[in-house]
Amino acid sequence: MDTTLHNPHNQRGVRVTEAELVATALATGAAAGLTDTSRGVVHDLHAALQEAVRRRLAGGGDGVPGGYGVRVLDAYETDPDVWRTRLLQVLASGMEIDEEICAAARAVLRAHRRPGHITGDAVGS
């Protein structure tokens, strides 16, 4: 199943696979985690997405024994560019990407695109 990511510069939208959607959301959330504003909505949504993917991979959902997919998922800080390529390979290798994971990925991307997204400090005020 394909899904559409809407690009503000392209009103028609760009068709992406579910694996690309999830990899993009995980990369976006991981990169946001490197900034001081990460303790907000994007951080929380990214953590939920990462946990959903981790559960699927830990259950052998990547088709590779030994937890390779989980190790790839956790390796962002090592080399983000290589990480995204390997993550996309893991996600596209047959891991079942259900609606829960797709919805979580879309939520991360929507929250990240939102100008001035809410930080954790602002939520309680």
Side-chain angles (χ1 to χ4, degrees), residues 35-50:
T35 67
D36 291 337
T37 61
S38 69
R39 295 294 171 219
V41 174
V42 174
H43 178 269
D44 294 343
L45 292 170
H46 173 260
L49 171 61
Q50 190 172 29

Side-chain angles (χ1 to χ4, degrees), residues 53-65:
V53 171
R54 181 183 320 285
R55 280 192 312 268
R56 183 62 43 88
L57 292 172
D62 60 351
V64 180

Side-chain angles (χ1 to χ4, degrees), residues 2-62:
D2 282 344
T3 188
T4 301
L5 270 181
H6 291 286
N7 180 333
H9 304 290
N10 178 2
Q11 298 296 21
R12 296 173 303 167
V14 177
R15 301 296 288 179
V16 296
T17 66
E18 291 171 333
E20 291 167 329
L21 172 71
V22 174
T24 299
L26 285 166
T28 298
L34 299 177
T35 67
D36 291 337
T37 61
S38 69
R39 295 294 171 219
V41 174
V42 174
H43 178 269
D44 294 343
L45 292 170
H46 173 260
L49 171 61
Q50 190 172 29
E51 185 55 34
V53 171
R54 181 183 320 285
R55 280 192 312 268
R56 183 62 43 88
L57 292 172
D62 60 351

Side-chain angles (χ1 to χ4, degrees), residues 16-109:
V16 296
T17 66
E18 291 171 333
E20 291 167 329
L21 172 71
V22 174
T24 299
L26 285 166
T28 298
L34 299 177
T35 67
D36 291 337
T37 61
S38 69
R39 295 294 171 219
V41 174
V42 174
H43 178 269
D44 294 343
L45 292 170
H46 173 260
L49 171 61
Q50 190 172 29
E51 185 55 34
V53 171
R54 181 183 320 285
R55 280 192 312 268
R56 183 62 43 88
L57 292 172
D62 60 351
V64 180
Y68 174 74
V70 174
R71 288 194 309 277
V72 168
L73 182 63
D74 292 335
Y76 177 80
E77 292 81 13
T78 306
D79 187 341
D81 293 328
V82 171
W83 171 82
R84 188 178 189 292
T85 300
R86 288 185 181 155
L87 179 64
L88 187 54
Q89 290 170 342
V90 166
L91 294 173
S93 70
M95 183 186 112
E96 181 186 342
I97 299 175
D98 60 17
E99 185 52 38
E100 173 195 3
I101 291 174
C102 285
R106 286 191 291 275
V108 168
L109 295 173

